[in-house]
Amino acid sequence: MTRIVRRPGAFVCGIDAAMDVIGGKWKVLILWALNEKTCRFGELRRAVPGVTEKVLSSHLKELEDDGIVHREVYAEVPPRVEYSLTPLGLSLNAALEPLGAWGRDHIYRGAEESGAEEPGAEESGAEAVAGPAVEPAAEPVRG
């Protein structure tokens, strides 16, 4: 059973509805990791350092209930479960791309103001200006 909306009628705007789905410290990092590849639980735990098993399990269940994540259980011994993004989850990640670009620009702008050199400044071309296309999952930005 897929539960798309948890607070029907209580949303003020579309951003409020989106934040209801992706709210929390770890959900966007889970989405980013699943955008890279289909993952088992342990792989996700390693891809999102700092998340506890309880919180990861809870967030995956919520994302599954919202139709963002697909959970595939294989009838094997030992049991195997894989998580992947649904088409709705892929569209959510596409919607989050501009937010990620804004975050990269904001980080680099802060580094320039403090006198630190922008990562990749020795490179030439668009990569040096825009930064890497994807941030590594093992080094989330904390602020």
Side-chain angles (χ1 to χ4, degrees), residues 16 22 28 41 57 61 70 77 86 88-89 100 120-121 124-125 129-130 143:
D16 186 24
I22 63 168
V28 291
F41 187 86
S57 179
K61 177 67 175 140
H70 173 71
V77 177
T86 64
L88 188 61
S124 62
V129 174

Side-chain angles (χ1 to χ4, degrees), residues 23-80:
K25 182 175 182 177
W26 306 106
K27 285 186 181 177
V28 291
L29 296 176
I30 293 167
L31 291 172
W32 180 86
L34 290 175
N35 198 55
E36 297 298 304
K37 66 177 188 163
T38 296
C39 294
R40 295 176 72 173
F41 187 86
E43 291 175 300
L44 277 172
R45 178 99 193 274
R46 288 185 295 276
V48 184
V51 68
T52 65
E53 287 185 19
K54 179 181 177 182
V55 170
L56 179 58
S57 179
S58 171
H59 282 349
L60 285 168
K61 177 67 175 140
E62 290 172 12
L63 290 167
E64 183 183 5
D65 288 346
D66 288 331
I68 304 299
V69 168
H70 173 71
R71 181 177 186 262
E72 183 73 30
V73 180
Y74 294 90
E76 299 175 353
V77 177
R80 177 171 54 117

